[in-house]
Short mmCIF file of all heavy atoms in Angstrom, two decimals:
data_model
loop_
_atom_site.label_atom_id
_atom_site.label_comp_id
_atom_site.label_asym_id
_atom_site.label_seq_id
_atom_site.Cartn_x
_atom_site.Cartn_y
_atom_site.Cartn_z
N ALA S 102 13.99 -9.76 -24.98
CA ALA S 102 13.83 -10.55 -23.71
C ALA S 102 14.18 -11.99 -23.94
O ALA S 102 14.93 -12.59 -23.05
CB ALA S 102 12.41 -10.42 -23.23
N ARG S 103 13.82 -12.55 -24.97
CA ARG S 103 14.15 -14.03 -25.27
C ARG S 103 15.61 -14.24 -25.49
O ARG S 103 16.22 -15.18 -25.13
CB ARG S 103 13.25 -14.57 -26.29
CG ARG S 103 11.77 -14.52 -26.10
CD ARG S 103 11.08 -15.66 -26.85
NE ARG S 103 9.51 -15.61 -26.66
CZ ARG S 103 9.00 -16.18 -25.56
NH1 ARG S 103 9.88 -16.85 -24.62
NH2 ARG S 103 7.75 -16.10 -25.38
N LYS S 104 16.13 -13.25 -26.21
CA LYS S 104 17.63 -13.35 -26.56
C LYS S 104 18.40 -13.38 -25.25
O LYS S 104 19.43 -14.09 -25.20
CB LYS S 104 17.88 -12.02 -27.45
CG LYS S 104 19.37 -11.90 -27.64
CD LYS S 104 19.79 -10.62 -28.49
CE LYS S 104 21.26 -10.49 -28.68
NZ LYS S 104 21.59 -9.19 -29.46
N TYR S 105 17.97 -12.65 -24.25
CA TYR S 105 18.78 -12.57 -22.95
C TYR S 105 18.25 -13.46 -21.97
O TYR S 105 18.60 -13.34 -20.73
CB TYR S 105 18.78 -11.08 -22.46
CG TYR S 105 19.76 -10.12 -23.35
CD1 TYR S 105 19.12 -9.38 -24.34
CD2 TYR S 105 21.15 -10.19 -23.16
CE1 TYR S 105 19.97 -8.53 -25.06
CE2 TYR S 105 21.89 -9.36 -23.89
CZ TYR S 105 21.28 -8.50 -24.86
OH TYR S 105 22.12 -7.67 -25.65
N GLY S 106 17.49 -14.53 -22.36
CA GLY S 106 16.98 -15.47 -21.38
C GLY S 106 15.99 -15.01 -20.44
O GLY S 106 15.75 -15.67 -19.34
N LYS S 107 15.21 -13.97 -20.68
CA LYS S 107 14.22 -13.42 -19.86
C LYS S 107 12.79 -14.00 -20.29
O LYS S 107 11.97 -13.33 -20.71
CB LYS S 107 14.15 -11.95 -19.77
CG LYS S 107 15.49 -11.25 -19.49
CD LYS S 107 15.81 -11.38 -17.96
CE LYS S 107 17.07 -10.63 -17.65
NZ LYS S 107 17.43 -10.63 -16.20
N ARG S 108 12.64 -15.28 -20.16
CA ARG S 108 11.50 -16.01 -20.77
C ARG S 108 10.25 -15.50 -20.06
O ARG S 108 9.23 -15.19 -20.75
CB ARG S 108 11.63 -17.51 -20.50
CG ARG S 108 10.45 -18.32 -21.03
CD ARG S 108 10.53 -19.71 -20.65
NE ARG S 108 10.54 -19.93 -19.18
CZ ARG S 108 9.40 -19.92 -18.41
NH1 ARG S 108 8.21 -19.66 -18.99
NH2 ARG S 108 9.56 -20.06 -17.19
N VAL S 109 10.25 -15.35 -18.71
CA VAL S 109 9.08 -14.91 -17.99
C VAL S 109 8.56 -13.44 -18.44
O VAL S 109 7.43 -13.18 -18.69
CB VAL S 109 9.30 -14.87 -16.41
CG1 VAL S 109 8.07 -14.31 -15.77
CG2 VAL S 109 9.52 -16.31 -15.97
N LEU S 110 9.61 -12.64 -18.66
CA LEU S 110 9.24 -11.32 -19.08
C LEU S 110 8.77 -11.33 -20.51
O LEU S 110 7.79 -10.53 -20.74
CB LEU S 110 10.57 -10.49 -19.00
CG LEU S 110 10.55 -8.97 -19.45
CD1 LEU S 110 9.47 -8.20 -18.63
CD2 LEU S 110 11.88 -8.30 -19.34
N ALA S 111 9.39 -12.16 -21.39
CA ALA S 111 8.82 -12.31 -22.74
C ALA S 111 7.39 -12.70 -22.84
O ALA S 111 6.63 -12.15 -23.53
CB ALA S 111 9.73 -13.23 -23.62
N ASP S 112 7.03 -13.63 -22.00
CA ASP S 112 5.72 -14.26 -21.95
C ASP S 112 4.76 -13.11 -21.41
O ASP S 112 3.63 -13.06 -21.86
CB ASP S 112 5.63 -15.50 -20.96
CG ASP S 112 6.34 -16.75 -21.62
OD1 ASP S 112 6.65 -16.68 -22.81
OD2 ASP S 112 6.62 -17.60 -20.78
N LEU S 113 5.22 -12.36 -20.45
CA LEU S 113 4.37 -11.26 -19.91
C LEU S 113 4.03 -10.36 -21.00
O LEU S 113 2.92 -9.80 -21.00
CB LEU S 113 5.14 -10.54 -18.76
CG LEU S 113 4.38 -9.81 -17.70
CD1 LEU S 113 3.49 -10.75 -16.88
CD2 LEU S 113 5.27 -9.07 -16.84
N LEU S 114 5.08 -9.90 -21.81
CA LEU S 114 4.80 -8.84 -22.82
C LEU S 114 3.89 -9.32 -23.85
O LEU S 114 3.14 -8.61 -24.56
CB LEU S 114 6.19 -8.46 -23.47
CG LEU S 114 7.08 -7.66 -22.52
CD1 LEU S 114 8.44 -7.45 -23.13
CD2 LEU S 114 6.51 -6.36 -22.18
N GLU S 115 3.79 -10.73 -24.17
CA GLU S 115 2.97 -11.23 -25.21
C GLU S 115 1.59 -11.21 -24.89
O GLU S 115 0.68 -11.35 -25.76
CB GLU S 115 3.48 -12.59 -25.50
CG GLU S 115 4.78 -12.66 -26.37
CD GLU S 115 5.13 -14.13 -26.71
OE1 GLU S 115 4.77 -15.04 -26.02
OE2 GLU S 115 5.88 -14.32 -27.77
N SER S 116 1.22 -10.93 -23.68
CA SER S 116 -0.14 -10.94 -23.14
C SER S 116 -0.61 -9.50 -23.19
O SER S 116 0.28 -8.48 -23.11
CB SER S 116 -0.44 -11.67 -21.79
OG SER S 116 0.42 -10.85 -20.77
N GLU S 117 -1.94 -9.30 -23.21
CA GLU S 117 -2.49 -7.86 -23.27
C GLU S 117 -2.13 -7.14 -21.91
O GLU S 117 -1.86 -5.87 -21.89
CB GLU S 117 -3.92 -7.97 -23.48
CG GLU S 117 -4.55 -6.54 -23.66
CD GLU S 117 -6.09 -6.69 -23.88
OE1 GLU S 117 -6.71 -7.75 -24.00
OE2 GLU S 117 -6.78 -5.55 -23.89
#
Side-chain angles (χ1 to χ4, degrees):
R103 295 206 182 281
K104 175 182 175 181
Y105 288 100
K107 306 284 186 179
R108 182 188 59 80
V109 174
L110 182 56
D112 292 344
L113 200 68
L114 290 172
E115 286 182 331
S116 61
E117 181 184 358

